[in-house]
Amino acid sequence: MLKIAVLVWMIVGITLAGVLVVVIVTVPSLYAQGMSLIPIAAAAGFLAAIPVALVIAKKIQSLTVSRG
């Protein structure tokens, strides 16, 4: 399950990090502090993706193991 979770984490982490960075770039009040907020937002996106990836990996594993 760890291999599946890592693969899912990479996809979900990039997506969440990208969403947070886009929010910072598009909100005018946050854009002024973008140089300091963008790395924080990217790291937060990757960290927030860990539990999401674990849940998705468990669901994938439960669906594929029952078929075997």
Side-chain angles (χ1 to χ4, degrees), residues 15-37:
T15 303
L16 287 177
V19 167
L20 293 175
V21 169
V22 167
V23 168
I24 289 173
V25 172
T26 56
V27 175
S29 62
L30 297 177
Y31 182 75
Q33 304 167 355
M35 293 301 287
S36 62
L37 291 178

Side-chain angles (χ1 to χ4, degrees), residues 1-12 49-50 52-58 60:
M1 183 183 85
L2 184 62
K3 291 180 184 180
I4 297 170
V6 169
L7 289 173
V8 172
W9 173 69
M10 288 191 291
I11 295 168
V12 175
I50 292 172
V52 175
L54 289 173
V55 169
I56 293 171
K58 286 180 184 178
I60 290 172

Side-chain angles (χ1 to χ4, degrees), residues 43-66:
F46 275 107
L47 289 176
I50 292 172
V52 175
L54 289 173
V55 169
I56 293 171
K58 286 180 184 178
K59 184 67 174 177
I60 290 172
Q61 186 177 19
S62 70
L63 290 174
T64 56
V65 171
S66 63

